[in-house]
Amino acid sequence: MADRTNVRYDAIVVGSGHNGLIAAAYLAKSGKKVLVLERRGVIGGATVTEEPWPGYRISTCSYVCQLLLPEVIRDLDLVRHGYDVRPLDPQYFIPFPDGRYMISYLDGEKTAEQIAKFSRKDAAAYDAYWAMWDRVIARMRPLLDRPAPAQEDIERAFDGPEGEEDWRTLTKKSVAGVLDEYFESGELKAVLCVGGVIGTNAGPRTPGTAYVKYHHIMGKVGGYQGAWGFVRGGMGAVSGAIASSARGAGVEILTHAEVTEIDIGDGAARGVRLLDGRSFEADVVLSGADPYRTYLGMVGEKHLPGDLVEGVKGMRVEGSVVKVLLALGELPDFEALPGKGIGPQHTGGIVINPSVDSLQGAWEECERGKPSTKPFMDGYIQSATEEGLAPPGKHTMSLFCQYAPYTLAEGTWEERREEIGRNIVNTLGEYAPNLPGAVEGMEVLGPPDIEARIGITGGNIFHGEILPDGIFAGRPVPGYGGYRTPVENLYLCGAGTWPGGAVFGAPGRNCAMEVLATARAGPRTV
Ligand SMILES: Cc1cc2nc3c(=O)[nH]c(=O)nc-3n(C[C@H](O)[C@H](O)[C@H](O)COP(=O)(O)OP(=O)(O)OC[C@H]3O[C@@H](n4cnc5c(N)ncnc54)[C@H](O)[C@@H]3O)c2cc1C
């Protein structure tokens, strides 16, 4: 292995998650010499396509895209580098236990017809519901592409009586409470409430879950607000396009390069040390790893103020998401909309959640340390929409499920992983009875597996909860929000910073802007 220890960089980025790559690309485009260090053999972090079985290519973690900032797509020229996203249409197929189903489309009128099957009143109320969210999204939009908003920024954005009410909705209400204000149909509420708990340790009745709902509809794909899209080739193609843009600007990316220590001297970061003994020096270090791992693992308590250490230790980092990856011999044949040929029930998201109560019950079990008996799931068969992801006649299926606790009250993940996965498949089998028999390969990733594979502490998909008390200037920790850290020349650039997780790119971009602004301003005066 070549000895690179005498090479000096302007910036080192720890981790090749999409945020780290984005930060690296922006810095390099501004003329900086940048090195990205990734512990895995593949780049992308939770934005990755892998091949668990020969010939089956599937998005291991994140599976659909909506939030990736248009500024990032434009500035890094991602389309030229291969980024190709298409909105799903239908967006969702939702079968219910009584054999009925709902489909939501990009076309609002077609969706309204579907809602009217359950309630004409709700079909009529749907526009008012979206008008409220459109307002909130517009108020929040200017706050996303800059450092965490100060109180006065928020007050300006949510000015006036209607603004105050919108702020209360966003930060104080539960997703179920918001839905109760607009709708009467249990089925429609069942569909819409899931966005309020994605990746979150909370039930639909937990105050603050309206914010989580906002987080999952604030972006656009193909011009459609709140729509999700497949990325051609799976989510690894997002990271691949960003990496290609970054390399084009001169960024070096090393894999199998686990950082064990951020080298600190006189209170300032000056480089990193790797597990294999190599070390690299730089003027600034950015970490795209989660704040817990960065501060307590790579920096060390002795370099940090006590209240920051306490804050980080208090972060709720344990996840409750299970990702099940399947190789299928045939498509699921749903009782509500039969057929094993590719149909609208297979080409968008497949949501299994019978009611708000069942989701709340699933969460309450998890709170007691139990995997949900009847988990909610968001399923996708990308191979039904795109060639080359599975062998001819076969399919991949990705199931994003909640809930299962990081720490099980009974048994260990090693002992129960298979059983938890089987229960998820069997739950889907209640709607598509051929499914359990169609499974030819299964991989189950519980929170400890996501932690081990992707390197996210606790397996929390957002590097920390995105409930209102963990967002804005309180992210990652109150008093230490934003990208800059108390260690001079050390920055955080991952999902654990404002404005939070998902394949979004805002933390990486904003952090790079702050690093560049600081460099332009010159050394800090005391
Ligand atoms: C199961 C799952 C499903 C999801 N589904 C979606 C979805 O469909 N849509 C969506 O928008 N979002 C989704 N998300 C959320 C989204 O993927 C993440 O929030 C986002 O990818 C985080 O990106 P990041 O760049 O900040 O960090 P990460 O992607 O976590 O990247 C951090 C990187 O740092 C590396 N690293 C850590 N420690 C070290 C070290 N010591 N040395 C070197 N490298 C290190 C890791 O290996 C990793 O590559 C999902 C996440 C998960 C886990």
Side-chain angles (χ1 to χ4, degrees):
M1 191 178 292
D3 178 9
R4 315 283 303 272
T5 49
N6 51 3
V7 181
R8 192 180 168 83
Y9 293 86
D10 294 324
I12 287 173
V13 178
V14 181
S16 71
H18 78 292
N19 276 312
L21 292 171
I22 287 169
Y26 274 98
L27 294 178
K29 278 177 184 290
S30 294
K32 305 288 178 200
K33 185 172 170 58
V34 186
L35 174 68
V36 176
L37 297 167
E38 168 56 47
R39 54 182 265 287
R40 290 195 77 195
V42 289
I43 61 158
T47 311
V48 66
T49 307
E50 292 179 278
E51 193 169 346
W53 311 280
Y56 293 85
R57 293 178 51 70
I58 189 163
S59 301
T60 311
C61 288
S62 62
Y63 46 100
V64 281
C65 198
Q66 175 198 122
L67 274 60
L68 190 61
L69 277 187
E71 292 89 328
V72 169
I73 299 170
R74 179 199 64 207
D75 297 346
L76 304 187
D77 211 358
L78 294 188
V79 174
R80 192 169 65 78
H81 287 280
Y83 174 67
D84 178 9
V85 66
R86 54 188 191 282
L88 307 173
D89 198 19
Q91 281 278 301
Y92 293 111
F93 163 69
I94 313 101
F96 293 105
D98 64 3
R100 294 188 296 168
Y101 69 88
M102 190 185 295
I103 295 186
S104 78
Y105 297 93
L106 294 176
D107 180 337
E109 281 183 22
K110 279 167 75 181
T111 303
E113 281 168 26
Q114 290 283 319
I115 297 172
K117 295 196 304 193
F118 297 86
S119 161
R120 291 194 173 283
K121 196 165 154 253
D122 287 358
Y126 201 55
D127 282 349
Y129 167 76
W130 262 105
M132 180 274 292
W133 281 125
D134 285 342
R135 239 179 17 242
V136 171
I137 291 163
R139 292 184 194 284
M140 289 289 286
R141 187 63 182 84
L143 305 180
L144 299 182
D145 56 5
R146 62 187 65 172
Q151 188 57 31
E152 60 263 28
D153 300 324
I154 293 173
E155 281 168 13
R156 204 173 313 118
F158 288 85
D159 192 22
E162 192 177 56
E164 283 170 24
E165 185 52 33
D166 286 346
W167 176 249
R168 213 171 67 76
T169 299
L170 182 67
T171 59
K172 300 280 185 273
K173 293 182 186 172
S174 71
V175 66
V178 172
L179 296 172
D180 285 342
E181 289 173 21
Y182 288 88
F183 304 121
E184 62 178 14
S185 151
E187 287 80 6
L188 181 60
K189 292 185 210 176
V191 178
L192 295 176
C193 74
V194 298
V197 301
I198 293 280
T200 303
N201 279 303
R205 299 211 169 84
T206 307
T209 46
Y211 189 93
V212 181
K213 178 73 185 177
Y214 149 77
H215 194 85
H216 287 98
I217 54 174
M218 68 162 123
K220 281 185 187 170
V221 172
Y224 295 95
Q225 186 68 56
W228 291 94
F230 278 140
V231 176
R232 182 165 298 280
M235 294 298 280
V238 179
S239 313
I242 301 167
S244 167
S245 176
R247 285 191 176 109
V251 172
E252 260 182 86
I253 303 173
L254 295 187
T255 54
H256 300 294
E258 177 163 351
V259 174
T260 47
E261 191 185 339
I262 293 171
D263 182 22
I264 295 165
D266 295 330
R270 52 192 187 190
V272 299
R273 264 188 269 282
L274 306 195
L275 186 62
D276 61 15
R278 284 178 290 174
S279 60
F280 296 94
E281 291 179 5
D283 292 345
V284 290
V285 176
L286 288 70
S287 176
D290 64 78
Y292 195 98
R293 181 166 296 233
T294 302
Y295 279 132
L296 302 185
M298 294 177 232
V299 174
E301 292 187 25
K302 68 172 190 259
H303 295 293
L304 298 169
D307 57 340
L308 173 57
V309 170
E310 286 318 303
V312 175
K313 286 183 176 168
M315 282 180 75
R316 288 162 298 161
V317 292
E318 291 195 354
S320 54
V321 168
V322 186
K323 187 80 191 288
V324 179
L325 310 176
L326 300 175
L328 298 182
E330 61 182 12
L331 288 171
D333 188 4
F334 290 96
E335 283 181 332
L337 189 56
K340 291 186 194 171
I342 296 172
Q345 67 276 45
H346 303 120
T347 54
I350 299 161
V351 175
I352 302 295
N353 179 46
S355 66
V356 173
D357 281 346
S358 65
L359 188 59
Q360 182 68 23
W363 160 240
E364 286 168 11
E365 280 181 300
C366 179
E367 257 191 312
R368 297 194 297 272
K370 280 187 64 178
S372 309
T373 317
K374 293 287 174 201
F376 132 73
M377 70 192 82
D378 189 24
Y380 290 82
I381 308 172
Q382 187 163 350
S383 60
T385 70
E386 189 180 320
E387 298 275 307
L389 297 179
K394 309 281 188 183
H395 287 283
T396 59
M397 186 165 198
S398 145
L399 298 173
F400 177 99
C401 313
Q402 284 173 233
Y403 305 82
Y406 180 93
T407 309
L408 295 162
E410 280 175 33
T412 64
W413 270 94
E414 215 46 54
E415 291 159 355
R416 301 192 60 190
R417 187 180 293 112
E418 175 81 12
E419 166 216 324
I420 291 169
R422 281 282 148 214
N423 180 53
I424 287 168
V425 169
N426 290 338
T427 303
L428 185 54
E430 290 170 14
Y431 300 80
N434 72 323
L435 188 76
V439 174
E440 296 180 347
M442 177 171 86
E443 188 172 358
V444 181
L445 297 167
D449 306 310
I450 294 170
E451 176 178 68
R453 170 93 68 102
I454 308 298
I456 303 176
T457 307
N460 185 304
I461 77 165
F462 299 130
H463 292 195
E465 301 287 353
I466 57 165
L467 287 161
D469 60 348
I471 203 93
F472 300 110
R475 191 168 188 83
V477 171
Y480 295 93
Y483 311 104
R484 197 188 281 276
T485 73
V487 178
E488 191 84 5
N489 302 334
L490 174 66
Y491 294 79
L492 298 178
C493 68
T497 56
W498 166 258
V503 180
F504 193 0
R509 182 176 189 266
N510 293 348
C511 179
M513 297 301 175
E514 185 152 342
V515 171
L516 292 171
T518 306
R520 275 195 298 273
R524 264 206 256 177
T525 48
V526 180

